[in-house]
Every structure is written in structure tokens, then in C-alpha cells.
Amino acid sequence: MSRTSPLREWVSGLDARIKLGSALLALLVTLAGPAPHTASGIAALALLASLAVGEPVRVLMRRLGLALFSGLAVWALHWVSQPEATGTWAPALVLGTRVAAGAAVFGLLTSLTPPWALVGALRAWRVPAALADVLALAVRYATVLERSAHSAREAQVLRLGYRDVRRSLRSLGALGGLTLVRAFDQAHATAEAMAARGCRGTIVPPPGEHP
Amino acid sequence: MPGISGRGCGAALRHRLQALVQTASVSLRQETWLLAALLLLPYPAHAMHLAEGLLPFGWAAGWTVSVLPLLALGVMRLRERVAQSPLYSPFVAMLAAAVFVISCMPVPVPITGTCSHPCGTGLAAVLIGPVMTVLVTFVALLLQALFLAHGGLTTLGADIWSMGVVGGFVGYGVFHGLRAVRAPLGVGAFAAGMLSDWATYAMTAFELASALHGSQPLGGTLGTLLLAFLPTQLPLGILEGALTAGAVVFISRRRPALLNFHALPAASTP
């Protein structure tokens, strides 16, 4: 099924509050329900839903990799420290299925809902306006800053800035500093642009109001 | 999981592993070596982030509820500063975005051959203080969860505790403590970044151990986890210290006002 299936379009168009609320409910049930059956059931449902909306199988496998890794680590912890004990796989199974359910539900939510829509949902749930503004601005500029840092790093690489350990450490520090200076410049430009447009209050409007 | 519960294969592997540990005459506990080996597998290292679903309900709720007062204090401070200076809100947002970007920078970890990433919260604490660092960490972690699926919603409280609260307060305290005894700027920033990173990892290990120790004693599990994370986190902390020192020295040369941004009166902020 392609990623532009009608089902995917319909679910993507749902109110972000419904999707976020459903995901949170599923996560809470996963953690609070009898283990590992509840977690396994929710993970299976979320994976089926992901397939139905056209998520690629390799993406789902990658999400489940972390669950397998976590389960193996817990199994190792219990198995080697208590070699005489039986059923050392039980805590690993509980944890593995919980992480699998979390990764499947959360992955489905983030693939169907853009970050700005989730911020809007938080604002609708009475998250303080100042915090919602910070979230909205950070969501907007995270990718901008990331691209900026990436281009600066490429320039450093071209100037042999990562030739040896000493130069690498110096380049890494300069890259961190440059990212922060650019963040500050961007903040200044944003504040001026907001003021020029007459913005004196909140950026993200309260629920029920449209700018 | 047939590979895990298969008793014949499991017993053989167990005996082989124990024989290997005994012949190596290593004083560390066996489980530490196995866990360390598992953590050194070529898998993306997210030691600072607890994955979604990793904590049981009680622990996830406990960490989340206990961090709410600090978040509320951060929001109160933010409101006060925004009322004084309209630049403050974009600055905190950009700093959160910068922490997000810095913590996405791949850092090759010596010895292990894997890549990890710095936290950036020690650096944030030096710039805007520990309380606002908690807020910045919340925003950066939420962005990482939404964009990159690092961490999660139910583990957000625990992750804020380790990175924002413990990492932020340790970084701030170390930096200003060393500056108070006239340590050079680079030295103070290096120590702040390194100790902030190590404190974060120690807190993460405690969170994991407290939730997962089961019938075993908490101290033993905590010690095992700390030792297992040591091969990656020890060099990573030093690298984070170098990153923090480099960034702070860079900022002090290019924009010295940024180092005192949180302490400046509203009128003097650009």
C-alpha cells in the first residue's frame, strides 16, 4: 500500500488532540495493564495499523530493533547474575514487549501527525502560552539550525578541521559555539519580526481562536 | 523468543561465557562484562534517553509528577523575563533548538568504535542557568521524541530529571564554583560539560536500576549498569567537556554578552 493511501490521508486529517490522546491512552494501558499480554496486544495492533496506513516494513523493523536490544540487555542482566534461577527470560519479555508497544504506538503517532499540530494540541490542552510559544518557535527553527550546523560542519571538513584528534576537538567546540551564536542571531531576527508584525502576546492562539 | 529461551543452546552459551570470564582472570563481575559487550554492539547509543515503554507505570508517573514543580518554576521565570524583554522567548526557543542540534551531532567514541552524541545541557546551564535549563531540556527532548523517536512521552519525566535537572544543576554548580576560585573560562566550561555528562549518565543508570532491579538488590544492579556504561560514557564525558569548553571560549570571543544573558537586565538585552 502506498504512503498516500486514502486511509492514511483520513487518519492524518484527524484532529491532533484525538491522535495524541489516543496514543497517550494506549501508552498508559501498555504500562498499567497485565504484562506481557497487554503490551503484546497493543504492539500488534499498532503494527497492524502502521501497515494499514502504508508504513514501510523496514521502518517497523527498525522500531522493533530497540525493543529487542532492551529485552536482550535485561535478559543478560538477570541470566548471568542468577545462573541458577529459572525463568530469567520473563522480565526480558515484559520489558521487550513494553518497549515494542511504546515504539510502535509512538512511531505511528509521529508518522501521522506533524510536530506543529502536536504543539497545537498541547496548547488546546491549556499548556501555558509562554511554553507553547517556545515549543512552536523551537519546532520551526530546529530544522533550520540543523541545516546551518550541517553546512558549517561540511565547511570544517573541507578545511581539514577533523584531520586529527586535536583539530577535531577544536572544530567540534567551534561548531557548538557557532550554532549557539547563530541561534542567538535568529532569536534576535525573530523578535524583531514579531514586533514589526505587532505581536505583543502569544504566538500560538488559545483554543477556539483563529489568528 | 526461541533463541533466548532455548535451554540447550542457552546452557552451552552460559558455560562458555563463564569459562571465558574465568580464564581471563578479570576481577569485575560477569554480568558487567556481558552487559558491556551488549552495549558495545554496533547499535546507535542512546544512553542518555530512556526509550518509550522502558519504565513501569509507577516509575514513569513518579518521575513525571516530581519534575512538574521545576517545570512550573521554569515557566514562571520565562513569563517574568518575557514581560521584561520580548527577545527572551525566542532566545530560549532557539537555545532549545540548538541543544536539539548539538545533541544530534555524531561524536565518535574512542576505544568502542561506535558513535554517540553529547547532551548540551551543561552548556545550556552555563548560558541560562539551571532552572531554565530544565525547560530547555523539556523542549529539546520533546523535539527529539517527535522528530527522531529518541526517548518517548512516558519516559519524558525521567529523561528531564537526568539531563535537565541533574545535568543542568551539576553543570551550573561546577562552572560557577570553579569561576569563583578564578579558574580559567575554558577549564570551568570543560569541567562543567564533563561532570554534567557523567552526572546525567549516573542518574540514568539509577533510573534504570530502580525500575528494573526486580528481586536483586538495587545497589548491585546500579553498580552493574554504571560499570557497563563506563566504556562509552567515560570518553564521551571528556568529549562533551571539550565541546563545552570550545563552545564557551568561542562565544566569549565572538559574543561575550551571551555568557551573561540570563543575568542581564531587560533594558540591556539587544
Side-chain angles (χ1 to χ4, degrees):
Chain A
M1 192 177 289
S2 73
R3 284 176 67 87
T4 53
S5 66
L7 180 63
R8 186 182 184 89
E9 281 180 14
W10 180 74
V11 180
S12 298
L14 279 176
D15 193 316
R17 284 174 289 184
I18 297 172
K19 287 185 277 187
L20 184 58
S22 309
L24 278 174
L25 186 66
L27 292 173
L28 291 178
V29 170
T30 298
L31 296 187
H37 309 98
T38 316
S40 311
I42 287 182
L45 280 175
L47 287 173
L48 283 175
S50 300
L51 285 172
V53 297
E55 287 288 297
V57 176
R58 60 182 165 76
V59 173
L60 302 183
M61 289 292 113
R62 202 165 54 223
R63 283 177 198 158
L64 292 181
L66 183 60
L68 184 65
F69 180 80
S70 308
L72 276 174
V74 170
W75 167 71
L77 182 69
H78 286 83
W79 180 62
V80 184
S81 60
Q82 293 181 318
E84 70 285 353
T86 56
T88 48
W89 52 269
L93 187 63
V94 169
L95 188 106
T97 50
R98 261 197 349 237
V99 174
V105 170
F106 197 60
L108 184 62
L109 172 72
T110 52
S111 74
L112 293 173
T113 320
W116 55 263
L118 291 174
V119 174
L122 290 176
R123 180 73 181 105
W125 286 348
R126 303 284 172 192
V127 165
L131 183 57
D133 286 353
V134 168
L135 268 169
L137 284 171
V139 165
R140 171 69 187 87
Y141 287 105
T143 45
V144 175
L145 268 183
E146 193 176 10
R147 277 199 294 270
S148 164
H150 186 69
S151 65
R153 185 183 158 83
E154 281 185 346
Q156 286 180 327
V157 170
L158 285 175
R159 291 191 206 111
L160 303 180
Y162 294 91
R163 191 180 55 191
D164 50 48
V165 175
R166 191 184 172 87
R167 284 174 72 98
S168 296
L169 289 178
R170 195 176 296 169
S171 298
L172 198 64
L175 185 60
L178 187 65
T179 304
L180 284 168
V181 167
R182 285 183 177 174
F184 181 72
D185 290 344
Q186 188 64 60
H188 199 184
T190 305
E192 284 187 344
M194 282 160 55
R197 286 163 176 79
C199 178
R200 294 286 182 273
T202 58
I203 304 168
V204 184
E209 286 183 20
H210 296 285
Chain B
M1 289 188 287
I4 292 173
S5 58
R7 294 189 66 82
C9 175
L13 186 63
R14 183 189 307 174
H15 287 134
R16 192 172 168 188
L17 189 81
Q18 285 172 342
L20 198 71
V21 172
Q22 282 163 6
T23 50
S25 303
V26 188
S27 58
L28 288 174
R29 295 169 63 189
Q30 302 160 14
E31 66 269 30
T32 305
W33 283 103
L34 184 66
L35 264 182
L38 201 60
L39 292 170
L40 293 183
L41 283 174
Y43 191 83
H46 303 312
M48 303 298 183
H49 297 69
L50 298 180
E52 186 71 85
L54 203 59
L55 296 177
F57 180 78
W59 284 103
W63 290 118
T64 304
V65 169
S66 61
V67 86
L68 286 179
L70 277 168
L71 276 177
L73 185 62
V75 172
M76 274 171 54
R77 290 264 174 93
L78 179 67
R79 277 181 181 151
E80 288 169 12
R81 295 305 305 261
V82 169
Q84 294 170 339
S85 165
L87 176 59
Y88 201 72
S89 176
F91 179 66
V92 171
M94 296 308 153
L95 196 61
V99 168
F100 166 80
V101 171
I102 287 170
S103 58
C104 291
M105 286 176 185
V107 177
V109 182
I111 305 168
T112 67
T114 58
C115 272
S116 192
H117 59 83
C119 295
T121 47
L123 181 56
V126 169
L127 292 177
I128 55 166
V131 174
M132 289 309 295
T133 299
V134 176
L135 200 68
V136 161
T137 307
F138 165 72
V139 175
L141 283 173
L142 196 61
L143 292 187
Q144 286 185 352
L146 298 180
F147 280 116
L148 307 171
H150 287 190
L153 293 178
T154 60
T155 51
L156 195 59
D159 284 334
I160 294 172
W161 258 105
S162 56
M163 279 179 67
V165 181
V166 174
F169 276 87
V170 167
Y172 183 83
V174 168
F175 180 76
H176 285 278
L178 285 174
R179 291 294 286 160
V181 296
R182 299 187 181 283
L185 186 68
V187 173
F190 177 84
M194 183 177 70
L195 294 175
S196 156
D197 186 282
W198 286 348
T200 300
Y201 124 73
M203 185 64 183
T204 307
F206 174 73
E207 288 168 349
L208 270 176
S210 58
L212 304 177
H213 68 94
S215 58
Q216 298 176 46
L218 174 65
T221 309
L222 176 61
T224 303
L225 283 169
L226 283 171
L227 284 170
F229 277 129
L230 208 63
T232 52
Q233 293 305 318
L234 204 66
L236 186 63
I238 296 169
L239 283 175
E240 171 120 25
L243 169 76
T244 309
V248 169
V249 169
F250 182 91
I251 290 170
S252 73
R253 286 179 186 154
R254 297 283 179 96
R255 299 286 168 83
L258 258 178
L259 286 179
N260 295 314
F261 187 83
H262 72 288
L264 290 176
S268 64
T269 52

